[in-house]
Amino acid sequence: MDLSAAFELRPDLVAWRRHLHAHPELAYQEHATAAFVRERLEQLGLRPSPPLAGGTGLTCLIAGDTDGPTVALRADMDALPIQEATGADYASTVPGVAHLCGHDAHTTMLLGAAALLARRRPEHGHVKLLFQPAEEGGAGAARMIEDGALEDPTVSAVFGLHVDPNQPVGALSVTPGPATAASDGLDIEIIGEGGHAARPHQAIDAIAVAAQVIVAIQQLVSRHTDPLQPLVITLGRIEGGFARNVIAPSVHLQGTARSFDPALRDRLPALLDRTVAGVTQAFGARHELTYRTGYPSLRNDAALIPTLADVVGELLGEGRLATGGPSLGGEDFAFYAQRVPGLMARLGVRNEALGLVHPLHHPRFDLDEGALPLGAAVLAGFARRYLATP
Ligand code: NI
């Protein structure tokens, strides 16, 4: 049983996680992290791949006793550009960079699964470990796929865990079907004509036009798209103007669009362009819209859920795997799940007694390390169960 073996690994898992936590690296800069992972894998007698995905990604095949399908397990390794404020002994030693999304735990748990699987190899089929860079906005998963991470041998399913501070340690949840949103970026430039604040009729006030554009975009969401199809457009940044007595010649807006329905997502660039063009033209201004296609929506393959449910039931007991709802967050695991059947579950790391209650990306986010052996056992168990299922 992997759970007792995983509990024996606990001191190592905690030490690895704390090391990674104290030495976070941003997207595509995970050189020390990748070297740390490589070293641990080699100590287990495994042979990791050459560097992938810009140099900081790697895969590692754990061959089973006999040939069969290959199942992939995935961890992301990058940290966030946030100043940590946990005050923990193992807090980030890098100013302005910290593991506040739990990717240190993801990397650690996959190393734990590697240890469990290396010790007792699958009887039939193979396990491929995917250690990827740059989940936070850099689409590291797409780079891994481009570099062949799902080939040689061909991967037939992929599984991953994300830590979840909304659930207590020992609980997991999974969302069938659409689980995370497609996440795209918007850049809108509104171009007016500068002038003196006292003579607006001689200028085109880009700030006044921007105000109308912002309202019109919210009306686009509420009046031009199906209310039964989730859509959020948030304009998170606005910049323009020089001084209180100067009419601003231009305004720059930045935002994000989150959606699930691919057809709705395809319509968004044209809908936005029509809306912004109409409003700006009405006031004699011009615009430039850049729509940046980001991560696709993650579609969990419901056919893989019974495998996970069996594993969680066996390891942790009945009633520990809940069905979760979709989230408008983004997750680049979606790129793998576009190629092969994929499943991503959430692993509880909350501990109210220890004050471990802050959300992901919060400067004080931290997790209950009691979840690390559970996560390692669930990852390894999923792979075993998948390969053992005819
Ligand atoms: Ni994350």
Side-chain angles (χ1 to χ4, degrees), residues 203-215:
I204 297 171
D205 185 346
I207 286 181
V209 178
Q212 301 289 336
V213 165
I214 293 163
V215 173

Side-chain angles (χ1 to χ4, degrees), residues 359-383:
L360 298 172
H361 295 207
H362 189 287
R364 292 179 65 195
F365 168 75
D366 198 359
L367 53 90
D368 185 338
E369 291 165 330
L372 298 174
L374 307 183
V378 169
L379 287 164
F382 182 92

Side-chain angles (χ1 to χ4, degrees), residues 76 101-103 106 135-136 162 331 360-361:
D76 43 12
C101 198
H103 299 186
H106 302 166
E135 193 287 321
E136 298 287 353
H162 201 297
E331 169 57 68
L360 298 172
H361 295 207

Side-chain angles (χ1 to χ4, degrees), residues 3 15 19 68 120 184 189-190 218 221 270 283 306 337 347 355:
L3 194 59
H19 173 83
R120 186 163 65 83
D184 300 331
E189 187 82 17
I190 294 165
Q218 295 314 314
V221 175
F283 296 104
L347 175 74

Side-chain angles (χ1 to χ4, degrees), residues 341-362:
L343 189 68
M344 188 166 206
R346 299 190 180 95
L347 175 74
V349 294
R350 184 183 185 90
N351 186 325
E352 305 224 357
L354 297 178
L356 303 171
V357 298
H358 294 90
L360 298 172
H361 295 207
H362 189 287

